[in-house]
Amino acid sequence: MANNQNGRHTIILLQNSQSRATRTFMDYDSIGQAMDGICGLYERKLKEINPSLRNLSYDIADLYNFMDGFADMSALVYEHSMNAYLPYDRQWIKQKAFNHLKRLANGGR
């Protein structure tokens, strides 16, 4: 069950603007679920902007631009062997999102 992606509790930390009051977090049971959550956040934003569109499409550059729009974005991923959370930056999240979407596009889960 616990490989690199699954079974590792993941917390995504977001800050929308320079104001500390905009800090928030989302937590997930795995890295894959966290990547689904980030994509879902972006898709909800797209639906807000384009409410009449039935089918949304975007490429990885669009998702990266969305991620770059946050004043801060990072992840804490639970490492069982250390019994601790390890911090990861925005670039790591982008790479994980890319790999996750690539796997989904190829029919994998």
Side-chain angles (χ1 to χ4, degrees):
M1 174 187 147
N3 63 26
N4 273 351
Q5 297 289 323
N6 298 322
R8 296 178 65 192
H9 186 250
T10 302
I11 302 168
I12 302 295
L13 304 169
L14 300 171
Q15 185 171 332
N16 288 326
S17 71
Q18 294 303 319
S19 169
R20 292 180 138 194
T22 66
R23 288 179 176 174
T24 190
F25 72 95
M26 304 179 298
D27 72 309
Y28 302 92
D29 291 333
S30 69
I31 295 170
Q33 287 179 3
M35 296 308 110
D36 283 339
I38 291 169
C39 291
L41 195 63
Y42 179 53
E43 289 166 9
R44 284 190 295 280
K45 182 73 169 176
L46 286 177
K47 287 177 185 173
E48 271 179 34
I49 296 168
N50 306 293
S52 61
L53 283 183
R54 294 183 69 166
N55 294 319
L56 296 173
S57 65
Y58 57 92
D59 64 25
I60 196 68
D62 297 327
L63 182 61
Y64 287 173
N65 285 335
F66 172 72
M67 291 179 183
D68 288 337
F70 288 99
D72 194 15
M73 178 183 224
S74 58
L76 296 171
V77 180
Y78 188 73
E79 178 56 53
H80 295 278
S81 65
M82 298 175 69
N83 199 28
Y85 284 88
L86 298 178
Y88 294 97
D89 64 6
R90 185 187 325 250
Q91 202 55 42
W92 180 90
I93 296 170
K94 286 180 177 181
Q95 187 61 51
K96 290 296 181 182
F98 175 78
N99 292 340
H100 182 70
L101 290 173
K102 188 168 134 182
R103 190 169 31 258
L104 290 177
N106 291 329
R109 213 40 194 134

